[in-house]
Amino acid sequence: MTLFGRWRKSAKAGNAFLQAKDLGVRIVRTASGTTVAVSGRVTIDSSPHLRSLLLQLIRKETSQTVTIDLSKTSYLDTSGIATLLEALKAARRHPVKLRLVGVSGQVKMLAEILELAQIFRAAGSEVVFS
């Protein structure tokens, strides 16, 4: 699967690292669920890559929880918010709980303005602010 300019699998089975422009995504699978650690900037240029990855992952996920870790995300624009909302919509169609963690800085400010936590809670998921 090539979604980004580079696709590197780590040494541990089921883990991967993706890199495209200003965006990095690390996928870590454990017994308790899957974590998607997003780093860098999620913009109109990079959000389509993240969107594809999240939608594929949610459709194929066998665990009940997918955690999106935004603690190393320095910037998120409205296309990034749209990507997260689309992932939430997909998670509702599948037996997957979506968690956003590490929401801080500019990302937290935008999430608070848009009341993202309330939207996620209403869908049976959650947002955890740092």
Side-chain angles (χ1 to χ4, degrees):
M1 165 172 48
T2 305
L3 299 174
F4 291 74
R6 285 187 283 170
W7 170 256
R8 245 183 19 221
K9 288 198 175 198
S10 71
K12 293 183 179 180
N15 297 347
F17 182 76
L18 301 161
Q19 182 72 44
K21 297 187 181 186
D22 295 334
L23 176 70
V25 180
R26 181 172 307 281
I27 302 167
V28 179
R29 288 185 169 91
T30 63
S32 62
T34 300
T35 298
V36 179
V38 181
S39 60
R41 298 170 51 86
V42 181
T43 65
I44 195 158
D45 294 325
S46 61
S47 64
H49 300 295
L50 180 60
R51 177 189 172 276
S52 280
L53 172 75
L54 289 173
L55 294 179
Q56 285 180 22
L57 185 65
I58 289 167
R59 283 188 208 116
K60 295 178 181 179
E61 191 54 44
T62 57
S63 68
Q64 292 184 342
T65 303
V66 172
T67 301
I68 302 172
D69 182 356
L70 299 174
S71 61
K72 294 187 179 176
T73 303
S74 59
Y75 179 80
L76 183 82
D77 68 10
T78 54
S79 70
I81 293 291
T83 294
L84 296 175
L85 291 173
E86 195 162 351
L88 178 62
K89 184 178 175 182
R92 287 183 69 185
R93 289 191 304 261
H94 296 81
V96 174
K97 179 179 179 181
L98 198 61
R99 295 183 72 230
L100 292 183
V101 299
V103 180
S104 63
Q106 181 270 340
V107 177
K108 179 180 179 182
M109 184 178 67
L110 186 57
E112 287 175 340
I113 290 169
L114 298 173
E115 298 182 349
L116 205 55
Q118 289 84 345
I119 295 167
F120 268 67
R121 215 174 299 121
S125 291
E126 68 180 320
V127 177
V128 180
F129 294 107
S130 296

